[in-house]
Amino acid sequence: MLAEFLGTFVLLLLGIGSVAVAVVGLPGSGRQAVEFGPANWLIISWGWGLAVAFGVYVAGGISGAHLNPAVTLAFAVRKDFPWRKVLPYWLAQVLGAFVAAALIYACYRWAIDAADTKAGIPRDESLGTYSIFATFPAEYFGDSWWGPLLDQIVGTAILLLLICALIDTRNTAPMSNLHPFLIGLVVVAIGLTFGTNAGYAINPARDFGPRLLTYFEGWGDIALPGTFGWFSGYWWIPIVGPLIGGVVGVLVYDLIIKPVIRARAGAQEEGPATEEA
């Protein structure tokens, strides 16, 4: 649990930190003269990808570095992880995410206040500064929950499908402990392909821990129940969507790829023996 806490803490500290740099750090420091744009999104996408990689390196040898309740649930469903440990892992992950968000808030509070003052809006109406910590759906979804939920299911299913491939040594898994780095690249790819729909939470702890922090620090209804302008009651979607998507991802891998690998391994084991040269 301590390893999951610390690994998730590192993941959120670097991930949220990259968003803080892109949203309030660069503009507020005088180091960026243009509006938020594609370059800022690249900072966020690569920031989260590297955050995942280093979080996995921190905790991987101790806890398996799930760092994500969707990963924990998916591995339990595929019988690679004991069910009795699911809730303790979830608790450690959410706490790690909350503490990381609190530390980022402590470091960037001045930049956040300056951004809100410049925009002339109170904190509980500042969707921009809230977005440093937790996610919300794109305006084109309107008040529909189905579009963002589908986005979270698909994004997390991709994540788990590719994690299964990258850790399966019978497939073409990377050697030399490179899989944490490549899992980080998976997150970069998801951010670049699905990120603008709903902020690509793809991790209930990543969203809910910081969401709690923003609620306590004055963002009000934007955080909980997740209501602002075009969306309402959004808080549950980055939790339920990833949990469903994670299970879908491992089931797809186990139904399509795993049987073929097993069959080929069995055929090799049962084949005729060859004489050594």
Side-chain angles (χ1 to χ4, degrees), residues 8 22 28 39 54 64 66 84 108 115 121 146 151 179 190 218 224 227-228 252 258 271 274:
T8 309
F54 292 125
H66 295 182
R84 63 184 175 82
Y108 278 94
I121 54 177
W146 170 239
D151 170 80
H179 65 276
I190 294 172
L224 289 170
T227 298
F228 177 88
V252 168
K258 195 172 182 178
T274 57

Side-chain angles (χ1 to χ4, degrees), residues 193-243:
T193 53
F194 287 89
T196 57
N197 272 341
Y200 72 111
I202 58 175
N203 180 337
R206 172 263 175 275
D207 187 85
F208 188 66
R211 187 179 292 272
L212 285 177
L213 186 279
T214 56
Y215 178 76
F216 293 138
E217 292 297 339
W219 275 272
D221 288 348
I222 302 177
L224 289 170
T227 298
F228 177 88
W230 60 90
F231 59 91
S232 60
Y234 183 77
W235 70 273
W236 63 274
I237 291 178
I239 298 175
V240 174
L243 292 176

Side-chain angles (χ1 to χ4, degrees), residues 58-81:
V58 166
I62 309 301
S63 67
H66 295 182
L67 317 185
N68 183 341
V71 174
T72 301
L73 177 63
F75 283 0
V77 168
R78 77 186 314 224
K79 300 180 180 179
D80 283 345
F81 187 75

Side-chain angles (χ1 to χ4, degrees), residues 94-182:
V94 172
L95 286 175
F98 180 89
V99 174
L103 184 54
I104 289 295
Y105 176 75
C107 292
Y108 278 94
R109 178 171 57 85
W110 293 268
I112 290 169
D113 290 343
D116 288 342
T117 300
K118 182 178 180 180
I121 54 177
R123 177 168 291 181
D124 60 0
E125 297 178 11
S126 179
L127 184 65
T129 54
Y130 162 82
S131 71
I132 294 169
F133 299 94
T135 65
F136 63 92
E139 190 168 359
Y140 46 71
F141 285 121
D143 197 23
S144 169
W145 59 265
W146 170 239
L149 181 64
L150 177 62
D151 170 80
Q152 288 300 290
I153 292 172
V154 172
T156 315
I158 294 170
L159 174 65
L160 266 294
L161 171 66
L162 296 180
I163 287 175
C164 288
L166 289 170
I167 65 175
D168 190 347
T169 56
R170 299 165 303 174
N171 201 332
T172 55
M175 298 291 103
S176 301
N177 293 327
L178 278 176
H179 65 276
F181 180 72
L182 294 177

